[in-house]
Amino acid sequence: MKVYSLLQKGLMAVLVVAGSMGIQSCQDDDDNRYYVRVPNALVTAKTDADETFFLQLDEETTLLPVNMASSPYDGKEVRALVNYEEVDQASGRYTKAVQINWIDSILTKPIAADLGEENDEVYGNDPVEIVNDWVTIAEDGYLTLRFRTRWGNSSQPHYVNLLRTNNPDNQYEVEFRHNAYGDTYGMVGDALVAFKLDGLPDTNGETVKLKLKWNSFSGEKSAEFDYCTRKEVNPNPEALTSMRSTFKVK
């Protein structure tokens, strides 16, 4: 089986970004071509109320792609990896004007419904490792995760979800669920998924600790993220959609 660490369009280079910095400093043509294959931002791809396609870079910064007249995602909101360059053009109400060299969507999902006693059967509890990486972050109302597990059967999609734990002492506690459908052997590889957090209580402008729990290969683990309910840039966003991933996850 041909294994990809993350996504096809240059994302394997994320694993060696630190090493690539020295190469990029040479500034020759080969270096520049390598640079545009490496993602330099994690964004939310959005369509504004007037159908303008733009990217949310962080809580405050928006990017206007001058070389893309419309969204490649049919107006749906998704998380994506992108390689872009700032350009000296008018950006209107957006923070910066940019040229998009490439953009690749990440599987983007809402928080899953709590099925009670059926959670284990439906959502599974197969082990994963959450990778401490620049793309593992809570921002713009999403929890984006790079996770690592075993992939043996190339035709068997893995099912990943985020559930609320309904912990009475922490309303911002969630758990990552992974159902490999028995595909728990084989080579180790990474994938990305993003979960929209609008199913959590509004933080009312405060930054709180979002606690993530998961079943790892060495037992239960947890991590905390700074989280604040996002301020809507688009007052009428279209429905969330699940986009593709190189690894077969759903």
Side-chain angles (χ1 to χ4, degrees), residues 69-85:
S70 61
S71 169
Y73 308 117
D74 297 324
K76 301 299 191 294
E77 182 176 305
V78 297
R79 293 287 275 171
L81 286 155
V82 64
N83 182 284
Y84 75 91
E85 301 173 54

Side-chain angles (χ1 to χ4, degrees), residues 5 9 128 157 223:
S5 293
K9 297 182 180 175
V128 299

